[in-house]
Amino acid sequence: MRRAAAVLGVVLALSQLAPSPLRAQVQPTVAQVLVLDTERLFTESLFGRRLADDLQAKTEALIEENRRIEAELTAEEQDLTRRRPSMAPADFRAEADAFDARVQEIRRERDAKERALQQEAATGRETFLAASGQALGQLMLSRGAAVILDRRTVFLSTGAVDITDAAIAAVDEAIGDGSAATEPDTAPESAGETAPR
């Protein structure tokens, strides 16, 4: 009995997948759900590449600055160690404490700069997603879809519903590398017209 019920369940499931004239008329010819690789959208877009280049340059500058400061502190520490035998213990302790305090302060400043870079990266991604929303919405509507899902949340899909390449092209056309978004708009608006958003 259980076996017959299982076979019946499989047959019913397959019949739902089988095309029928009625189903062909009811179902739209376009996908109602689209899939988007948001990571690729960001990293391969003009905006994402510009942001990555900017952050890379700032990171390399920070690393170089850290190396220079480390070399200066190492030289200062070696100088203090070399002078120690000729110094009064109280004088050495005072200089050593001042040196340690400077090292701790510099470390806090370095950590703050690294956190600021991480925050800049996160803010840039949020700005990108907000700026690309309209282009993605238009792409979704042009495909007759009701929703776009992040590819990472989709268990299984066909390549036909993946719009990542089209999304990259649409977003690049709409917002470019994003640098214009930071420039003030000085063009006067015509009467009765609103600036595009």
Side-chain angles (χ1 to χ4, degrees):
M1 187 71 173
R2 289 182 185 169
R3 191 174 195 179
V7 170
L8 180 59
V10 170
V11 169
L12 287 173
L14 290 175
S15 69
Q16 294 296 316
L17 297 175
S20 70
L22 180 58
R23 188 172 289 111
Q25 292 172 5
V26 173
Q27 289 184 336
T29 57
V30 292
Q32 290 298 304
V33 175
L34 299 174
V35 174
L36 175 65
D37 186 333
T38 54
E39 187 62 26
R40 267 192 63 214
L41 174 66
F42 180 70
T43 59
E44 296 181 19
S45 68
L46 294 174
F47 187 113
R49 287 189 301 223
R50 179 189 59 81
L51 184 63
D53 290 344
D54 289 349
L55 289 173
Q56 181 67 26
K58 290 177 182 177
T59 300
E60 289 173 1
L62 182 60
I63 290 171
E64 186 59 35
E65 188 178 8
N66 287 345
R67 286 178 182 151
R68 179 183 56 77
I69 291 171
E70 183 181 1
E72 290 172 359
L73 291 174
T74 299
E76 188 176 336
E77 183 180 29
Q78 290 172 347
D79 178 62
L80 182 59
T81 301
R82 187 173 54 254
R83 292 185 294 114
R84 181 176 186 175
S86 63
M87 296 174 70
D91 292 340
F92 173 78
R93 176 50 48 204
E95 281 199 41
D97 288 346
F99 176 76
D100 288 342
R102 278 189 56 233
V103 168
Q104 294 302 320
E105 179 61 25
I106 288 170
R107 185 171 292 145
R108 283 191 291 272
E109 290 173 359
R110 301 290 93 196
D111 290 345
K113 287 192 174 188
E114 288 180 11
R115 285 194 302 273
L117 280 180
Q118 293 169 356
Q119 182 59 45
E120 185 177 341
T123 301
R125 187 177 287 262
E126 290 171 7
T127 301
F128 169 76
L129 291 175
S132 61
Q134 184 175 358
L136 293 176
Q138 289 173 348
L139 181 60
M140 179 182 72
L141 293 176
S142 72
R143 300 288 180 102
V147 66
I148 299 176
L149 298 179
D150 189 325
R151 185 175 189 137
R152 292 171 294 184
T153 64
V154 175
F155 176 70
L156 185 64
S157 69
T158 67
V161 298
D162 190 315
I163 59 162
T164 305
D165 290 333
I168 293 169
V171 168
D172 282 351
E173 183 178 348
I175 64 173
D177 69 0
S179 58
T182 59
E183 298 172 1
D185 185 9
T186 57
E189 295 180 16
S190 301
E193 292 182 358
T194 57
R197 285 177 170 56

